[in-house]
Amino acid sequence: MFRNFFRRVFALMKKEFITIWNDPKTKGIIIGLPIVQLLIFSNAATMEVQNIDVVTLDRSQSVESRELLSKFENSPRFRNFYYVDNEADFKKKLDTQKVQIGLLINNDFASDIKSGKIASVQVIADGRQTNSASIASGYASQIISGYGAEVSSQKGGASINPSVRNWFNPNLEYKWYILTVIVAMLSLVTTLILTALSIARERELGTFDQLIVSPLSSLEILLGKSVPPLIIALTLTMFMTGIVIIFFHIPFAGSFLLFMISIFISLLAIVGVGLYISAICNTQQQAILSAMTFMMPAVLLSGFISPIEDMPVALQYLTWLNPVRFFMVLTRGIFLKGMGIGDVITNLIPLIIIASITLTLAGRTFKRKLG
């Protein structure tokens, strides 16, 4: 009895192994893609903040201020330094996320040190990235305090006090950061899953042949499969945005119209990915696995977990192909700082290009499958 039982189980296991091995798509999912993800994760997933870009407004222009700035320049944690001579340029670098922190040295910096008073250096961090802002401002405070200790030992009585401010999220409220990102993430995941399952579901249920022989063209089928997920995702996004504003008291600083346009174009790029996945998958299980396989690296390479600046250069270039990256920037920027139309368009252009590529690829793949 037990021998027959184990024989049947073994035969079924053997058959399952053969089926998986003979299916190129499944073979790629279980062998190739995990290796690729492992390589990406091992290089991109880091909670350490390095390669910090800094904008500096040095009003003192003294020996003491230059000595302090040299401490930053010689630190391995800081990368590019932008020296500006007015507040407008200083603010612009932070607004457009060209830098992570700003250093503001006042006119009386050197005179306060020479007279034995407490000199102050203002450190301004971009609060939209709460974790990065906290760590980067901590590094800056350490350097300033270390230089202050040197000055105090040399000139007695003088000290330097780092004054840290966080723009766009003054108290570094983690919910401000995480909830605005979750709105974007859930919208994208919903759209991807719904579109990925659309055609695969028809194949699995045996109704795909009915679509082929129907009077509908391939374009009409694609539209019919892509528009409902878009409407559902847009409705879900508006609902979640209302919850975030009303129940979590997170201020919405930007234009709601720009916000919805950004979401629509971002979702179009994801619709193309989902339709391509659905066109090449024969079952819903394959479609779900493929969608999750796409989302994990996309989220990791979006700057959600760790800053893009801390990734290897090759992966930084790869993020330009990732629609999630630009959607994250738009969501946080419009929500928390009221990103202007110029900056919105700058991030929408890559999304439009990505959407054009993914939708074209999905359409051609679907037509080839029909043929």
Side-chain angles (χ1 to χ4, degrees):
M1 179 179 178
F2 285 103
R3 183 179 299 177
N4 292 332
F5 172 77
F6 284 114
R7 187 184 296 116
R8 291 193 298 270
V9 172
F10 180 77
L12 182 60
M13 291 172 58
K14 181 179 179 181
K15 178 244 179 198
E16 191 68 18
F17 278 121
I18 293 173
T19 302
I20 292 174
W21 187 253
N22 289 335
D23 186 353
K25 298 186 188 71
T26 307
K27 190 192 304 182
I29 290 174
I30 65 174
I31 297 177
L33 291 175
I35 295 175
V36 173
Q37 290 187 17
L38 177 63
L39 294 174
I40 293 177
F41 292 175
S42 62
N43 286 284
T46 173
M47 299 308 291
E48 185 180 20
V49 178
Q50 295 181 338
N51 301 321
I52 303 168
D53 294 331
V54 184
V55 59
T56 300
L57 177 55
D58 182 7
R59 289 172 171 158
S60 176
Q61 295 294 325
S62 60
V63 174
E64 289 78 5
S65 65
R66 285 192 289 271
E67 285 181 351
L68 173 60
L69 293 177
S70 70
K71 302 290 185 181
F72 282 89
E73 293 170 350
N74 293 325
S75 171
R77 302 197 181 273
F78 297 90
R79 182 176 56 180
N80 296 322
F81 289 82
Y82 300 92
Y83 296 93
V84 297
D85 53 10
N86 59 77
E87 288 189 6
D89 291 339
F90 184 86
K91 184 176 183 294
K92 184 177 180 181
K93 291 292 185 184
L94 283 162
D95 280 353
T96 56
Q97 295 183 307
K98 297 292 184 184
V99 298
Q100 286 77 56
I101 64 170
L103 299 176
L104 182 57
I105 303 175
N106 290 323
N107 296 327
D108 53 4
F109 179 76
S111 60
D112 285 344
I113 291 176
K114 292 175 182 177
S115 60
K117 297 179 181 179
I118 299 176
S120 178
V121 176
Q122 194 168 54
V123 180
I124 299 176
D126 185 351
R128 286 167 289 187
Q129 286 275 13
T130 54
N131 181 63
S132 302
S134 178
I135 295 175
S137 58
Y139 292 155
S141 297
Q142 284 181 345
I143 292 176
I144 295 170
S145 298
Y147 179 67
E150 291 181 13
V151 169
S152 179
S153 63
Q154 293 173 3
K155 303 188 178 182
S159 63
I160 302 175
N161 177 40
S163 174
V164 179
R165 291 179 58 197
N166 301 292
W167 285 5
F168 316 121
N169 188 357
N171 298 319
L172 289 181
E173 293 283 349
Y174 188 67
K175 285 184 179 179
W176 288 27
Y177 167 69
I178 195 66
L179 287 176
T180 53
V181 171
I182 285 177
V183 169
M185 292 300 306
L186 291 180
S187 302
L188 295 178
V189 170
T190 301
T191 306
L192 181 64
I193 294 295
L194 289 176
T195 51
L197 292 178
S198 58
I199 300 173
R201 184 187 305 110
E202 299 284 353
R203 286 201 179 97
E204 191 170 331
L205 296 177
T207 57
F208 186 67
D209 291 337
Q210 297 176 13
L211 281 177
I212 295 177
V213 299
S214 69
L216 296 171
S217 67
S218 59
L219 177 61
E220 291 169 335
I221 295 174
L222 286 175
L223 286 175
K225 293 292 183 182
S226 59
V227 171
L230 270 176
I231 295 175
I232 293 171
L234 285 170
T235 304
L236 178 64
T237 303
M238 289 188 288
F239 180 71
M240 291 188 297
T241 301
I243 291 176
V244 166
I245 295 172
I246 295 171
F247 293 100
F248 292 95
H249 309 291
I250 298 178
F252 188 90
S255 165
F256 190 74
L257 177 61
L258 285 178
F259 185 63
M260 295 309 298
I261 291 173
S262 302
I263 290 173
F264 178 76
I265 295 177
S266 301
L267 295 183
L268 276 181
I270 296 296
V271 163
V273 176
L275 288 176
Y276 175 76
I277 290 173
S278 193
I280 63 175
C281 292
N282 295 319
T283 66
Q284 296 182 72
Q285 184 179 16
Q286 288 180 350
I288 292 175
L289 287 172
S290 299
M292 292 298 101
T293 302
F294 167 79
M295 281 304 299
M296 287 299 291
V299 171
L300 186 63
L301 294 173
S302 68
F304 169 54
I305 297 176
S306 57
I308 292 174
E309 294 79 11
D310 293 343
M311 300 177 189
V313 176
L315 291 181
Q316 291 184 36
Y317 285 119
L318 186 61
T319 61
W320 284 90
L321 302 175
N322 182 15
V324 184
R325 166 190 172 170
F326 301 102
F327 194 24
M328 293 285 187
V329 173
L330 287 166
T331 303
R332 290 198 304 262
I334 296 174
F335 217 113
L336 297 180
K337 71 172 284 284
M339 182 183 284
I341 189 170
D343 294 329
V344 171
I345 292 175
T346 300
N347 287 280
L348 283 181
I349 290 175
L351 279 173
I352 293 172
I353 295 173
I354 294 172
S356 303
I357 294 173
T358 56
L359 290 170
T360 301
L361 182 62
R364 290 183 177 179
T365 303
F366 183 70
K367 287 182 180 179
R368 188 165 60 249
K369 289 285 183 177
L370 288 179

